[in-house]
């Protein structure tokens, strides 16, 4: 029995979808379903009628009363506006980001009688006021909408399709996904699945690290795909698919998916997968490591395979690893997506960016190279039974171009290494120090505003070489205040108190930052202006100047639960780590919050140099306006502290004196 298959499309344009329809057509419900099904990372979803309402005074009622020429003009303006608003988001998410308008518009065409019933329910229960309108008027309105939108879309080269609001969601999804680029749809579905699985992990809130394993030839030396076809007494046709000109493309994996659909029905397929799973043997060194992962609350694992996910779900359950690991893999078309090399890369990126985890990736083949490049730590697994050296060329090129830094895990005493130990240094999970380092709990929690409008606005003054002294100190004070306002309430909590209401004789609840048992420490001199901005929201907090860690003493920390360290720039995190160690020596268990304008990106990693240097018992939160990949350190006239306090000339003279002194010596 074959599964229903999605219609295909060859469109390569980025996807910005507008959903139109009269009020009550069901757009809000459909949008919610579409966002849940396809996600929002690769698609820009907009409800057209809401945007039209905002473009004209009087809202939709005024729009309906407008002339046809005005309506068409407003629709065009609406499309342009949404295009402008979506442009920045698409630049971040999509590879081809130059579309400035919709690529697709779908008109939800619901019967007027159904819409009027919804209007009646809204007025009776939800009290959403809808204008009185007859079925005939409503039908005429819809017809005019469809004709007008069709004209606009033809002019703008936008795909236009009418979908019936009577159909169930699955039926509406088909015409929409028909026009959507299949590869984009596929990635989005896979990411939605990842988010769902991550949300259901018991230790989701505590996760700092994720270990991502390929399955076949990585976790086990076996190829479960071959085993599947041997169990069924059939020839494995899959290698022929990938050996064709399409290689490991999305179309190739879809074709493989179709082969599994053609060969067996769902029940037969699942039975064969269970039979194969019974014979899967995870390598002892990897199994021992996964047992340790299972015991750590702050780490998790994903088996991410382009092979058959059902086999590995059974195998993981058999090995009692389901509590620590979940499986995302391929199968029949009912799976909803296929795992391709690009999907593997996208999943690693999602774990890093949305789920804020440090990712170790383990792989063995060309299919795994994109995820190995994306991972924070890449490990190439080499088994005794490796069949091909084709990956060696790919790895060598990636290492040579700087796209990949990896280590190799050689399993088995007779296994030949890949490349050499300089290009791919050896790693052993059996070594205690290696295992402890990989599983170590890093207490660093990072929040930043890189790329936001607020960051761009606040950063402008600090990067302008003409601004210094008092004006620059004021710019830093504003940054400190902004970061405290937007982050510290969530980190430290709010205190409620009664306040008189503006209506005479009434009272209501107000909120302020919980400031008891807090000390603010500017790391002198550069951190003081920002610290003053932070202190505006903590007027009763202790404020202690400290240029060196030992200047922070027991008398400052007695009874303190939170220390806020403030600095303008954090490069390698050495100063912050030294202060944290000083605090830990005096009193353990204190929450340390580091507030900074700019933090070097590597330093902010949950497994980076700062996290590694922090005391293991400490809880540290890092709040930054911006993360930077620029490792440049200012000196003389470009030093932040010198610019803040108008000492640039003094700094320049001192640097010149030091150079002369060194030359003389």
């Amino acid at each position: 029995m074959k599964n229903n298959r999605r219609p295909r499309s060859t469109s390569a344009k980025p996807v910005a979808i507008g959903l139109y329809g009269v009020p009550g057509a069901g757009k809000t419900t459909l949008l919610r379903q579409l966002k849940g099904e396809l996600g929002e990372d690769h698609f820009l979803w907009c409800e057209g009628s809401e945007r039209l309402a905002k473009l004209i005074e009087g809202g939709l009622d005024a729009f309906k009363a407008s002339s046809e020429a005005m309506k068409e003009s407003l629709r065009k303006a609406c499309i342009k506006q949404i295009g402008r608003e979506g442009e920045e988001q698409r630049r971040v998410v999509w590879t081809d980001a130059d579309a400035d308008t919709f690529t697709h518009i779908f008109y939800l065409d619901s019967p007027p009688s159904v819409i009027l019933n919804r209007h009646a329910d809204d007025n009776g229960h939800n009290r959403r006021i809808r204008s009185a309108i007859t079925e005939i008027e409503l039908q005429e309105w819809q017809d005019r909408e469809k004709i007008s939108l069709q004209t606009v879309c033809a002019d703008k080269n936008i795909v236009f399709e009418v979908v019936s609001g009577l159909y169930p969601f699955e039926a509406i999804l088909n015409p929409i996904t028909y026009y959507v680029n299949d590869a984009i749809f596929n990635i989005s579905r896979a990411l939605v699945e990842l988010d769902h699985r991550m949300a259901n992990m018991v230790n989701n809130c505590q996760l700092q690290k994720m270990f991502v394993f390929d399955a076949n030839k990585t976790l086990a030396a076996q190829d479960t795909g071959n085993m599947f076809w041997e169990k069924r007494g059939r020839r494995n046709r899959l290698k022929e698919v990938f050996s064709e000109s399409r290689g490991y493309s999305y179309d190739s994996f879809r074709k493989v998916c179709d082969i599994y659909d053609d060969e067996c029905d769902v029940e037969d397929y699942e039975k064969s997968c269970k039979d194969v799973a019974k014979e899967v043997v995870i390598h002892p060194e990897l199994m021992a490591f996964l047992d340790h992962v299972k015991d750590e609350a702050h780490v998790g694992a994903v088996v991410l395979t382009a092979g058959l996910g059902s086999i590995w779900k059974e195998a993981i359950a058999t090995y009692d690893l389901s509590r620590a690991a979940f499986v995302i893999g391929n199968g029949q078309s009912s799976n909803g997506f296929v795992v391709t090399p690009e999907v593997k890369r996208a999943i690693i990126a999602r774990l890093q960016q949305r789920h804020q985890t440090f990712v170790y990736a383990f792989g063995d083949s060309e299919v795994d190279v994109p995820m190995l490049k994306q991972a924070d730590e890449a490990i190439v697994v080499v088994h005794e039974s490796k069949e091909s050296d084709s990956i060696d060329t790919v790895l060598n090129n990636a290492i040579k171009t700087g796209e990949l830094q990896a280590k190799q895990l050689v399993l088995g005493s007779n296994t030949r290494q890949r490349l050499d130990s300089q290009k791919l240094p050896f790693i052993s999970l059996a070594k205690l120090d290696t295992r402890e380092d990989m599983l170590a709990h890093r207490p660093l929690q990072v929040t930043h505003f890189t790329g936001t409008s607020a960051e761009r606005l606040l950063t402008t003054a600090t990067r302008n070489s003409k601004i210094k002294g008092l004006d620059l100190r004021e710019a830093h004070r504003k940054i400190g205040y902004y970061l405290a306002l937007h982050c510290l309430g969530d980190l430290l909590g709010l205190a409620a108190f009664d306040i008189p209401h503006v209506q005479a004789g009434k009272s209501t609840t107000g909120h302020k930052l919980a400031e008891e048992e807090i000390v603010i420490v500017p790391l002198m001199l550069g951190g003081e202006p920002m610290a003053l901005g932070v202190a505006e929201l903590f007027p009763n907090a202790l404020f202690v100047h400290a240029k060196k860690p030992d200047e922070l003493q027991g008398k400052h920390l007695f009874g303190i639960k939170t220390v806020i360290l403030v600095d303008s720039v954090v490069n390698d995190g050495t100063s912050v780590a030294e202060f944290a160690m000083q605090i830990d020596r005096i009193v353990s268990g204190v929450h340390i919050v580091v507030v900074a304008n700019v933090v070097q990106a590597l330093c902010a990693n949950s497994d980076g140099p700062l996290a590694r240097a922090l005391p293991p018992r400490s809880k540290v939160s890092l709040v930054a306006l911006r993360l930077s990949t620029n490792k440049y350190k200012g000196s003389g006239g470009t030093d932040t502290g010198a610019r803040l306090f108008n000492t640039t000339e003094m700094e320049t003279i001192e640097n010149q004196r030091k150079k002369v002194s060194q030359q003389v010596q």
Side-chain angles (χ1 to χ4, degrees):
M1 181 178 66
K2 295 184 180 181
N3 297 297
N4 293 326
R5 294 178 190 153
R6 272 188 312 107
R8 309 287 178 81
S9 165
T10 57
S11 169
K13 294 181 69 176
V15 181
I17 298 175
L19 186 62
Y20 280 76
V22 299
K27 300 184 300 299
T28 303
T29 300
L30 180 57
L31 267 179
R32 185 169 59 249
Q33 290 174 310
L34 286 169
K35 288 177 181 178
E37 183 74 12
L38 300 179
E40 299 181 64
D41 292 279
H42 294 82
F43 305 95
L44 176 66
W45 303 98
C46 299
E47 186 176 331
S49 296
E50 289 184 359
R51 299 306 182 98
L52 285 169
K54 292 176 182 177
L55 285 176
I56 185 169
E57 188 175 352
L60 284 171
D61 291 336
F63 173 78
K64 287 182 283 185
S66 302
S67 66
E68 291 304 310
M70 176 60 77
K71 288 177 181 176
E72 184 172 341
S73 175
L74 285 168
R75 287 191 184 96
K76 288 182 178 180
C78 179
I79 291 171
K80 288 180 180 179
Q81 178 178 321
I82 294 172
R84 288 193 297 270
E85 292 179 5
E87 183 180 2
E88 186 62 29
Q89 180 180 351
R90 289 196 300 278
R91 287 188 187 281
V92 174
V93 175
W94 296 314
T95 54
D96 178 11
D98 57 358
D100 59 357
T101 59
F102 284 126
T103 54
H104 307 72
I105 285 181
F106 295 97
Y107 191 86
L108 189 58
D109 192 18
S110 298
S113 59
V114 173
I115 294 173
L116 290 177
N117 286 335
R118 290 173 181 163
H119 285 196
D121 289 341
D122 282 348
N123 288 331
H125 299 96
N126 300 328
R127 304 197 181 280
R128 290 166 59 182
I129 305 302
R130 308 251 194 211
S131 299
I133 189 170
T134 67
E135 281 192 35
I136 294 175
E137 291 173 326
L138 194 54
Q139 185 64 63
E140 290 175 350
W141 182 13
Q142 287 182 306
D143 291 341
R144 288 196 303 270
E145 287 257 287
K146 287 181 281 187
I147 292 170
S148 183
L149 277 171
Q150 191 170 23
T151 303
V152 173
C153 290
D155 180 54
K156 292 286 185 179
N157 196 28
I158 297 170
V159 171
F160 178 70
E161 178 83 0
V162 177
V163 293
S164 173
L166 279 181
Y167 293 156
F169 171 67
E170 290 74 15
I172 295 174
L173 185 65
N174 274 341
I176 291 179
T177 57
Y178 180 86
Y179 290 104
V180 173
N181 177 277
D182 250 7
I184 293 176
F185 175 90
N186 185 65
I187 292 172
S188 191
R189 286 292 299 273
L191 294 179
V192 168
E193 175 67 12
L194 172 72
D195 292 343
H196 174 72
R197 303 304 297 273
M198 289 291 288
N200 287 326
M201 290 189 75
V202 175
N203 55 339
N204 175 266
C205 296
Q206 307 171 53
L207 285 175
Q208 290 184 353
K209 299 180 180 180
M210 289 296 291
F211 295 90
V212 181
F213 294 89
D214 174 50
N216 299 325
K217 303 291 185 177
T218 299
L219 274 179
Q222 300 148 304
D223 186 331
T224 57
N226 285 338
M227 294 165 67
F228 178 91
W229 294 106
E230 288 170 4
K231 283 285 182 187
R232 300 185 61 79
R234 305 283 183 87
R235 180 175 62 88
N236 187 350
R237 296 155 48 195
L238 307 189
K239 290 185 179 179
E240 297 171 10
V241 175
F242 294 119
S243 63
E244 294 172 2
S245 58
R246 286 174 294 189
Y248 295 112
S249 67
Y250 168 77
D251 286 337
S252 294
F253 282 98
R254 285 295 303 179
K255 189 171 182 179
V256 167
C257 191
D258 292 344
I259 290 174
Y260 285 112
D261 284 350
D262 292 337
E263 289 288 343
C264 47
D265 63 27
V266 175
E267 290 183 6
D268 198 17
Y269 167 79
E270 291 295 339
K271 181 181 182 304
S272 295
C273 287
K274 288 181 180 180
D275 290 341
V276 173
K278 294 174 184 176
E279 299 178 12
V280 169
V281 180
I282 296 178
H283 192 280
E285 187 169 332
L286 292 169
M287 185 61 226
F289 182 77
L290 284 168
D291 274 335
H292 287 289
V293 170
K294 186 171 62 175
D295 294 335
E296 298 289 345
H298 66 284
V299 299
V302 185
V303 178
L304 180 58
T305 176
L308 298 178
S310 292
I311 292 175
W312 284 95
K313 286 174 186 175
E314 289 290 330
I316 289 298
T318 301
Y319 278 95
D320 192 29
L321 294 171
S322 299
R323 185 165 57 86
F326 59 86
V327 178
I328 294 178
N330 285 331
Q332 295 183 302
S333 60
S334 57
N335 199 44
F337 59 88
V338 291
V339 176
T340 65
E342 179 54 29
V343 164
K344 287 196 167 193
R345 187 212 63 78
I347 282 179
I348 300 295
R350 181 64 145 238
L351 288 169
Q352 294 167 321
Q353 294 161 13
R354 173 167 291 191
H355 299 287
Q356 293 289 301
T357 59
F358 188 92
V359 180
Y360 291 84
F362 296 73
D364 76 292
S365 70
E366 293 176 55
V367 178
D368 301 319
V369 171
M371 81 167 181
L372 293 173
K373 290 179 180 179
Q374 180 68 41
D376 296 293
E377 293 280 354
I379 299 168
V380 179
V381 178
V382 192
H383 276 283
E384 213 169 330
S385 60
K386 68 176 183 178
E387 295 177 357
S388 173
D389 290 330
S390 61
I391 188 179
D392 287 358
T393 302
V394 179
L395 289 172
N396 194 41
N397 290 338
I399 293 169
K400 192 177 293 185
T401 59
E403 296 176 276
L404 176 67
Q405 287 185 323
K407 298 175 182 176
Q408 61 178 312
L409 174 63
V410 179
L411 301 174
S413 56
N414 297 321
T415 304
R416 183 167 56 87
Q417 69 182 41
R418 290 205 180 276
L419 303 181
D420 59 64
S421 59
Q422 285 189 324
K423 292 177 179 176
L424 284 175
F426 295 111
I427 187 173
S428 171
L429 299 182
K431 289 185 177 180
L432 180 63
D433 56 346
T434 300
R435 190 170 65 246
E436 286 186 342
D437 184 60
M438 291 176 72
L439 294 174
H441 175 68
R442 306 297 182 196
L444 189 62
Q445 176 186 350
V446 181
T447 305
H448 64 92
F449 296 86
T450 311
T452 64
S453 298
E455 180 261 314
R456 294 190 186 97
L457 289 169
L458 290 168
T459 298
T460 297
T462 67
R463 304 182 79 177
N464 187 342
S465 62
K466 294 181 179 180
I467 296 179
K468 58 183 180 178
L470 180 63
D471 290 340
L472 185 59
R473 293 198 295 273
E474 174 60 15
H476 277 243
R477 184 200 64 78
K478 288 179 179 178
I479 291 171
Y481 181 85
Y482 176 85
L483 294 176
L485 181 66
H486 286 269
C487 295
L488 298 190
D490 292 332
L491 288 173
L492 307 180
L494 297 177
F497 62 102
D498 290 333
I499 58 173
H501 197 280
V502 290
Q503 296 179 11
K506 293 185 178 182
S507 64
T508 188
T509 301
H511 292 88
K512 62 180 180 179
L513 286 166
E515 56 182 322
E516 291 77 16
E517 303 167 325
I518 288 176
V519 58
I520 300 171
V521 183
L523 274 59
M524 299 296 290
L525 295 171
E528 185 184 50
M530 276 185 60
L532 292 171
V534 173
E536 286 185 40
L537 288 166
F538 297 94
N540 297 318
L542 186 63
F543 196 94
V544 178
H545 290 91
K547 196 170 183 178
K548 297 183 295 184
D550 58 12
E551 293 178 1
L552 199 57
Q553 299 174 8
K555 62 182 180 181
H556 303 128
L557 300 176
F558 179 76
I560 293 296
K561 291 185 177 179
T562 304
V563 178
I564 302 176
L565 301 176
V566 188
D567 203 358
S568 58
V569 180
V570 176
N571 285 305
D572 58 9
T574 300
S575 297
V576 171
E578 288 174 350
F579 271 91
M581 286 186 281
Q582 170 71 359
I583 294 166
D584 188 64
R585 277 192 290 267
I586 298 171
V587 55
S588 63
V590 170
H591 185 185
I592 301 171
V593 180
V594 181
V595 178
N597 175 21
V598 182
V599 175
Q600 211 282 320
L602 180 61
C603 180
N605 256 332
S606 61
D607 207 28
L610 174 57
R612 290 174 181 272
L614 291 172
R617 293 173 294 176
S618 60
K619 176 186 177 184
V620 181
S621 301
L622 177 61
V623 175
L625 181 64
R626 176 169 64 95
L627 298 186
S628 172
T629 56
N630 186 359
K631 296 183 179 181
Y632 173 77
K633 292 185 179 182
S635 63
T638 60
D639 178 73
T640 301
R643 291 177 58 225
L644 281 167
F645 298 101
N646 289 326
T647 61
T648 52
E649 290 186 13
M650 293 169 53
E651 295 287 338
T652 302
I653 293 171
E654 179 63 17
N655 286 338
Q656 290 174 345
R657 187 191 65 77
K658 287 181 179 178
K659 285 183 180 179
V660 172
S661 177
Q662 289 172 355
Q663 290 171 356
V664 171
Q665 292 176 354

